[in-house]
Amino acid sequence: MLTAKEIRSSFIEFFRSKQHDFVPSSPIVPQNDPTLLFANAGMNQFKDIFIGQRKPKINRAVNSQKCLRVSGKHNDLEEVGKDTYHHTFFEMLGNWSFDDYFKAEAIEWAWQLITDVWKIDPDRIWASIFIGDEDDGLPRDSEAEKLWQKLTPLPKERIVAFGKKDNFWEMGETGPCGPCSEIHIDLGSDRCDKQDDPNHSCEVNAGCSRFIEIWNLVFIQYNRGSDGKLTTLDAHYIDTGAGLERVTAVLQDKKSNYDTDLFMPIIDALVEMTGHKYTGALKNKTDNAFRVIADHIRALTLAITDGAIPSNEGRGYVIRRILRRASRFGRELDVHEPFLYRLVPVVVDFMGDAFPELPPRADYVAQVIQAEEKSFGRTLDRGIEIFNAAAEKAQTADRKTISGEEAFQLYDTYGFPFDLTQLMAEERNLCVDTETFDKLMQQQRQRARAAQKSAGQSTDISADQLPPTNDEHKYLTKQLDAEILGFIKDNKYNDSGDIQADEQAGLVLDCTCFYAESGGQVGDIGKITDGKNSFIVTSSRKIGDTVIHQGTVEKGRLSVGAKVTAAVSDLRNETRKNHTATHLLQWAIQRVCGQSAVQQGSLVTPEYLRFDFNYPRALTDEQIQQIESLVCEKIDQALPVTSAAMSKEQAEKLGAMALFGEKYGDQVRVIAVGAESDDQLDKAISAELCGGTHVDNLAVIGGLKIIKEESVSTGIRRITALTGKALSQYLRQRSDTVDNLTKLVKAPAEELPARVEQLLAENKKLAKQIKSGAVKAGSDTMAEARTMLEKAEKINGSAVIVGKLSPTAVPQARAAIDMLKKKAPSSAIVLGFGQDDKAMLLAGVTDDLVKKGLKAGDIVRDIAPIVDGGGGGKPQMAQAGGKTPKKIDQALTKATEIIKAILTK
């Protein structure tokens, strides 16, 4: 029996024998593709080739792509665990042709691999083709239908046609697409899971587990635009996908994908961890939990390795949903402590050979998962209690529906993803009020102003519409002569004409020294001029191989064909310092925090640098000082910085560090800190693959200061630092602050810490004394109020408590009124006292007297003018202030008259 590892290898080697180049899987987190949350198909990394934004360097490719289908059009999350074959994460075995071979070869080679190499019985094989679609104006795929009959022994009755749902493949709402031909395997009548349904008929795409699709041959001929319309691509492409999990189940003769060696190591570990047994039954809550957890931990391990982080937005929220869903299923196995992180080494052990990026990041992935489990665990059990109460209420009321308000509370307060609430409701034969939940979610988004903003600049212009730019000069000079080849204006490329003063456009030159935004480094700014006319460049970016100089005509007009001088701003010097400093930071952070702390992203600007790296906790002050010291030590040593171009393989042998998930070509540029020249790269303290601009010697940087260290998300820390001119300005400002403090506290700079500590101690002591005095004053106020109560006159059973207090504070006086109300349940109270040359009057009336028409607010409004003041409040409690404290007694006398007049009616 072939292992999954051998099946994967046999697929790749078969197509290598057909002159296909092996291309490693792209990360699950797509790079530079805002239309996708996750890679959901093998063709994702080739999308820009299909739509003409990049020219292929090879004609044929093969690989095993890491895929995640948990959002959008392709979402299998809800089906996981319920059947034997749906998964969130899966491997897509695929072969591609970039305008080389087409349908005939794809069909013939698929048949050869399935029947000759994998030895699947031809009599069990079915093929499906596209039946056509009138709405999109698409004809039946008769070509594929005839090829199946011509190139294989498949009888006509086992070649079936279906519509768009099954046989027209689209990557998303937009993008490359085309008809497809699926290969299905008949597993036998005993494998049907709907035998009890008298209306069910076993056949391809009928929804039972007897017929299962194992390979999809996609013939990419079209592109669907944002308007929903299809356009024919200039070239034809082949994109095939065979799910490794399903193929393995067939070849290992397993009834369930979960019974293969792609899942059983995880399930075996769970059995040992929990003491529960796995039987493989579909309608069993315990077995379902095993399957869900086994599936989800694979997805989490691979996705977090590739840069996804649990959060409350976008792909981060999807990862959080998967993790919390798996955590909740742990309760079905009686696990109440974090446990998912303990399964990470199991996944890495049997998948690390296929995906070598897994082992180095295993500890980091486990840390992220454990931190998230702990966070959710604090609210999960309480959330389950809240859900159970809501479910019991729904069942008792016979409404069979969890309210949208209750579902929202679970989401908002206890972190329950909505689909988890739906799942738990389904288990109790309940549904959830989705409409109300959606309304509450929308209201929350509006309150939080969390509308998602699109990042970056978008354009419908493809790379093949633009001439390439020679930008090799960006490393060599800050100024050069060039020619204007065209410009982008109003989302259209123009290769003739001109742009005039104040018009915005994107200039395209034949060559440039401007660095286009990439790899975390901002694009250069500067000026382009022909001597008389000038254009201010505010940003630089790339479309394919073309550098777009975005900006505004400063004066005059610039025409296509004009000879110009392109000059980069001097701010480039500061950007270079910051970029090289990020490389030094990575080196120093690993020295202090360990080799597993690696870069997760960066931002390099002229003003500052930002460096993100994985680490499970906040850096201590000591660690920050160590990192700063290490960096500054190397800067003081004035180490040289060398750049060298080489093949990617050479760079890997050298040990050069690559930013995980970043796209690199066959030829790469290595920045080596500490190497005098190309032949001394092995002496470098830091070697990284990088296309950015850098200093030639560390001494130019001048120094580095970390001004902020913070959390970005679970397991990710961010350092913000300054170098160069920005650092000098920062230090000058700090020096000015120190000078001002020395004058204020009358102490030299070296004694400031001790002096400030002394002032803080004195302040704390004084605050304690004031608080003690306030407590005593409050105690005195209460004593005076109690004396007034003892002497109070009573009218018809109600106490009239009016008197003057010794100087006190309003809170103490209010507390005294509250105390008097409790001791005299029917009472009218007016207290007055002087405070900082002001008169303060407070009135309180119990509810029974308010009903009789005696209101505290009316009393203070009537007596406040006597002390030259004003005030008001509620019927039960009111307050006023005035400028004449010597008339407080007159005001209190008036208050007594008002109270008596109402109580004696």
Side-chain angles (χ1 to χ4, degrees), residues 321-337:
R321 282 171 57 203
I322 296 173
L323 198 154
R324 293 186 170 184
R325 198 168 185 268
S327 181
R328 182 261 168 184
F329 271 97
R331 298 302 195 268
E332 300 290 348
L333 303 178
D334 299 319
V335 182
H336 292 266
E337 297 298 324

Side-chain angles (χ1 to χ4, degrees), residues 816-841:
I817 290 176
D818 290 337
M819 179 271 293
L820 290 171
K821 283 184 176 182
K822 290 178 182 178
K823 291 184 176 295
S826 179
S827 57
I829 309 155
V830 180
L831 303 178
F833 61 92
Q835 183 188 57
D836 299 329
D837 297 327
K838 293 180 180 179
M840 300 301 300
L841 298 169

Side-chain angles (χ1 to χ4, degrees), residues 408-525:
F408 183 76
Q409 180 193 17
L410 284 167
Y411 166 81
D412 195 42
T413 305
Y414 298 101
F416 269 50
F418 184 60
D419 57 334
L420 179 55
T421 301
Q422 287 179 307
L423 172 68
M424 294 168 66
E426 181 184 320
E427 291 173 349
R428 300 180 67 154
N429 296 316
L430 298 171
C431 57
V432 183
D433 180 359
T434 303
E435 184 178 348
T436 301
F437 176 84
D438 289 341
K439 287 180 180 178
L440 292 170
M441 280 295 296
Q442 184 61 30
Q443 291 171 9
Q444 185 194 60
R445 292 189 188 100
Q446 290 172 350
R447 286 195 302 270
R449 297 179 180 178
Q452 191 173 8
K453 294 181 180 179
S454 176
Q457 295 166 293
S458 61
T459 179
D460 292 332
I461 298 173
S462 61
D464 57 2
Q465 296 176 263
L466 302 172
T469 307
N470 177 4
D471 66 346
E472 64 183 17
H473 306 282
K474 63 180 178 280
Y475 301 127
L476 307 173
T477 182
K478 290 182 0 186
Q479 180 173 313
L480 56 63
D481 296 330
E483 178 183 340
I484 299 177
L485 300 182
F487 58 90
I488 295 174
K489 183 183 173 187
D490 299 329
N491 211 27
K492 178 183 177 183
Y493 177 67
N494 304 272
D495 57 9
S496 62
D498 56 34
I499 46 175
Q500 303 182 26
D502 299 327
E503 285 189 329
Q504 296 183 349
L507 282 186
V508 176
L509 309 178
D510 64 333
C511 60
T512 187
C513 53
F514 280 70
Y515 178 87
E517 180 177 353
S518 179
Q521 179 176 327
V522 298
D524 282 332
I525 64 174

Side-chain angles (χ1 to χ4, degrees), residues 785-792:
R786 279 191 287 269
T787 300
M788 292 179 192
L789 175 60
E790 292 170 1
K791 298 178 180 180

Side-chain angles (χ1 to χ4, degrees), residues 116-347:
D116 296 345
V117 178
W118 287 343
K119 304 298 181 182
I120 295 177
D121 183 357
D123 291 337
R124 298 167 58 195
I125 299 174
W126 291 63
S128 66
I129 58 100
F130 180 49
I131 202 170
D133 186 85
E134 289 185 9
D135 292 339
D136 276 329
L138 296 171
R140 181 186 182 97
D141 192 358
S142 300
E143 180 185 4
E145 188 173 25
K146 292 175 181 177
L147 286 169
W148 276 110
Q149 297 176 42
K150 176 183 177 182
L151 299 174
T152 77
L154 268 183
K156 189 174 182 179
E157 59 269 20
R158 294 216 308 271
I159 303 171
V160 289
F162 295 96
K164 284 173 62 177
K165 179 179 179 294
D166 297 300
N167 280 85
F168 192 86
W169 199 92
E170 301 190 61
M171 185 176 63
E173 298 298 329
T174 62
C177 53
C180 62
S181 190
E182 295 181 334
I183 299 173
H184 297 258
I185 303 295
D186 182 354
L187 300 176
S189 59
D190 62 318
R191 295 289 292 274
C192 176
D193 57 355
K194 295 187 177 181
Q195 295 181 13
D196 297 335
D197 184 354
N199 298 317
H200 175 71
S201 175
C202 278
E203 55 189 40
V204 172
N205 288 334
C208 76
S209 55
R210 171 178 173 176
F211 290 90
I212 189 165
E213 174 219 333
I214 64 165
W215 203 345
N216 190 8
L217 314 180
V218 181
F219 313 126
I220 296 180
Q221 303 169 237
Y222 308 103
N223 184 66
R224 190 176 294 278
S226 56
D227 59 358
K229 295 181 179 179
L230 294 176
T231 54
T232 302
L233 294 170
D234 294 335
H236 290 170
Y237 305 97
I238 287 295
D239 161 31
T240 86
L244 176 63
E245 291 75 12
R246 294 187 181 189
V247 172
T248 302
V250 170
L251 296 183
Q252 293 183 358
D253 195 25
K254 302 293 185 182
K255 292 185 177 181
S256 167
N257 293 357
Y258 292 96
D259 295 338
T260 70
D261 56 350
L262 288 169
F263 293 92
M264 283 309 298
I266 304 170
I267 292 174
D268 289 340
L270 273 172
V271 168
E272 184 177 348
M273 189 185 298
T274 66
H276 285 269
K277 291 184 178 180
Y278 177 68
T279 67
L282 285 180
K283 296 181 179 180
N284 179 293
K285 290 179 70 174
T286 300
D287 285 350
N288 188 41
F290 274 110
R291 286 188 291 270
V292 170
I293 294 168
D295 171 273
H296 287 10
I297 192 60
R298 293 194 341 147
L300 292 167
T301 301
L302 274 294
I304 295 173
T305 293
D306 281 2
I309 292 293
S311 70
N312 287 327
E313 297 179 354
R315 65 172 58 96
Y317 181 61
V318 175
I319 296 301
R320 176 163 283 169
R321 282 171 57 203
I322 296 173
L323 198 154
R324 293 186 170 184
R325 198 168 185 268
S327 181
R328 182 261 168 184
F329 271 97
R331 298 302 195 268
E332 300 290 348
L333 303 178
D334 299 319
V335 182
H336 292 266
E337 297 298 324
F339 71 100
L340 293 170
Y341 76 98
R342 294 165 58 190
L343 296 172
V344 172
V346 181
V347 177

Side-chain angles (χ1 to χ4, degrees), residues 781-824:
T781 300
M782 289 294 186
E784 289 180 322
R786 279 191 287 269
T787 300
M788 292 179 192
L789 175 60
E790 292 170 1
K791 298 178 180 180
E793 179 182 357
K794 288 196 174 183
I795 301 176
N796 296 327
S798 299
V800 180
I801 309 168
V802 180
K804 185 176 181 180
L805 298 170
S806 301
T808 184
V810 171
Q812 279 76 28
R814 281 180 171 270
I817 290 176
D818 290 337
M819 179 271 293
L820 290 171
K821 283 184 176 182
K822 290 178 182 178
K823 291 184 176 295

